[in-house]
Amino acid sequence: MAGGALAWLTGTSLGINTASQLGAVMLLQASVVLILGPRAAAGLLFPLAYMLFLVPFGDELVPALQAMTADMAVALTHASGIPATIDGVFIDTPVGLFEVAEACSGVKFLVAMIALGTLVAHLCFASWKRRALFMAAAMIVPVLANGVRAWGTIYIAQSQGIEFAAGFDHIVYGWIFFALVMIGVLGTSWRFFDRSPDDPLIDADAIEASPLLARLAPPRFVP
């Protein structure tokens, strides 16, 4: 709780929202341990750790994702027979100049996919190797899919005209595209799920027998 309070105070004093929000989440996590005790907190370890996704993050990845998206879009544009040149996040084609803006970097979907992937990896996989492979796919596939989406916008403009491409909200359609990508990732991974729905997520016997948790537990007063 002291660490969470310090992070919150530091972030608030310096105007760093990420630090102050992280401190607030840490205070909530510590409150659960303090109120329910170490054994209950051990059983709730995953949901307590999952609370870290309450802290907004990802803005620091936007420039790198913009550059990667632009490079992939140009490569696919060349592969589809359309001449194009790139200057940073700007892609110049015969039909017009395109910009991979911050909203098109794909960072929101990447963060959402990481959060969903973490939950699925915990609930549906028992093997740590399979969990690691699934999380790698959850991070790599959205980045590649965003490059395909950016290229699709350029290709539609080239084949149907810039007016047609500007006539639909490619961000909204991008989320529909990403929903299909998400379904594809989960559907492909379905056959590799190795945790039965009936398997317990908490080993209560191991928690009760843990000597470390026993030392951390408060004394019991028996009348």
Side-chain angles (χ1 to χ4, degrees), residues 71-86 91-93 151:
D71 291 338
M72 287 186 288
V74 166
L76 291 173
T77 300
H78 289 163
S80 59
I82 302 173
T85 58
I86 183 173
I91 302 173
D92 192 10
T93 68
W151 163 77

Side-chain angles (χ1 to χ4, degrees), residues 33-73:
V33 181
L34 178 64
I35 296 173
L36 299 182
R39 286 193 176 93
L44 297 172
L45 184 60
F46 177 79
L48 287 175
Y50 199 75
M51 288 175 64
L52 292 174
F53 284 112
L54 290 170
V55 182
F57 69 95
D59 289 345
E60 60 278 1
L61 302 176
V62 169
L65 291 175
Q66 283 180 281
M68 294 173 62
T69 300
D71 291 338
M72 287 186 288

Side-chain angles (χ1 to χ4, degrees), residues 66-132:
Q66 283 180 281
M68 294 173 62
T69 300
D71 291 338
M72 287 186 288
V74 166
L76 291 173
T77 300
H78 289 163
S80 59
I82 302 173
T85 58
I86 183 173
D87 182 11
V89 297
F90 294 94
I91 302 173
D92 192 10
T93 68
V95 74
L97 181 66
F98 296 86
E99 177 189 4
V100 181
E102 292 184 4
C104 301
S105 65
V107 65
K108 292 182 179 180
F109 180 69
L110 175 61
V111 172
M113 195 66 183
I114 291 175
L116 176 63
T118 302
L119 180 62
V120 173
H122 175 69
L123 295 178
C124 301
F125 292 99
S127 167
W128 283 101
K129 180 179 179 181
R130 295 192 180 191
R131 286 176 176 175

